[in-house]
């Protein structure tokens, strides 16, 4: 994955936190997990077995996050956060894990909110 990237957003805006796999290729989404999280406890978005799992995500992000589902299989794992809040200012980890190979890729994206 990429090294640290910093994104900027104003309260109320929509921001996209970039994350992609390299080299780009077709991913087997039915056999993989994608976690977007803050620290080790706060789950911002969780995707596994080919679908979103909103019931596991932190309450403050419910209904505000989405993935680019049509582009994911080509390696675009970016997260869209709508109606950005001051409390969203944090360092986010994008963690992608394949079930068969147990290969894990992680990148960190910093979001600054003003």
């Amino acid at each position: 994955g990429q090294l640290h990237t910093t994104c900027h957003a104003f309260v109320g805006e929509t921001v996209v936190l970039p994350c992609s796999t390299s080299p780009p290729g077709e991913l087997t989404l039915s056999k993989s997990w994608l976690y977007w999280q803050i620290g080790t406890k706060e789950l911002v978005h969780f995707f596994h077995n080919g679908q979103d799992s909103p019931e596991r995500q932190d309450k403050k992000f419910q209904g505000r996050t989405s993935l680019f589902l049509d582009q994911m299989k080509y390696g675009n794992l970016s997260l869209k956060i709508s109606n950005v809040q001051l409390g969203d200012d944090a360092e986010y980890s994008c963690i992608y894990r394949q079930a068969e190979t147990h290969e894990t890729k992680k990148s960190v994206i910093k979001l600054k909110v003003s």
Side-chain angles (χ1 to χ4, degrees), residues 19-21 25-36 47 72-73 75 77 93-107:
C19 184
S20 58
T21 57
E26 296 246 346
L27 304 179
T28 313
L29 296 176
S30 57
K31 298 191 177 84
S32 54
W33 289 271
L34 174 63
Y35 300 87
W36 271 94
F47 179 94
M72 281 180 72
K73 68 172 189 264
L77 308 177
S93 298
C94 168
I95 302 158
Y96 174 76
R97 184 157 172 251
Q98 282 185 308
E100 307 116 335
T101 60
H102 296 291
E103 185 188 357
T104 302
K105 293 177 175 174
K106 176 179 176 180
S107 57

Side-chain angles (χ1 to χ4, degrees), residues 5 16 19 35 49 53 68 71 77 89 93 98-99 109 114:
T5 308
V16 174
C19 184
Y35 300 87
N49 298 340
S53 297
F68 296 88
Q71 298 169 32
L77 308 177
D89 189 298
S93 298
Q98 282 185 308
I109 297 90
S114 43

Side-chain angles (χ1 to χ4, degrees), residues 17-99:
L17 303 183
C19 184
S20 58
T21 57
S22 53
E26 296 246 346
L27 304 179
T28 313
L29 296 176
S30 57
K31 298 191 177 84
S32 54
W33 289 271
L34 174 63
Y35 300 87
W36 271 94
Q37 61 189 43
I38 298 171
T40 52
K41 305 228 175 1
E42 207 171 334
L43 194 58
V44 178
H45 200 100
F46 180 55
F47 179 94
H48 77 124
N49 298 340
Q51 57 191 7
D52 281 323
S53 297
E55 68 283 350
R56 305 251 326 251
Q57 84 180 139
D58 197 272
K59 296 271 180 284
K60 73 176 195 185
F61 288 103
Q62 281 180 350
R64 296 198 297 124
T65 61
S66 61
L67 300 167
F68 296 88
L69 298 175
D70 54 333
Q71 298 169 32
M72 281 180 72
K73 68 172 189 264
Y74 305 112
N76 181 357
L77 308 177
S78 301
L79 180 74
K80 188 197 287 184
I81 304 176
S82 56
N83 189 18
V84 170
Q85 305 296 311
L86 277 174
D88 298 345
D89 189 298
E91 221 168 67
Y92 292 76
S93 298
C94 168
I95 302 158
Y96 174 76
R97 184 157 172 251
Q98 282 185 308

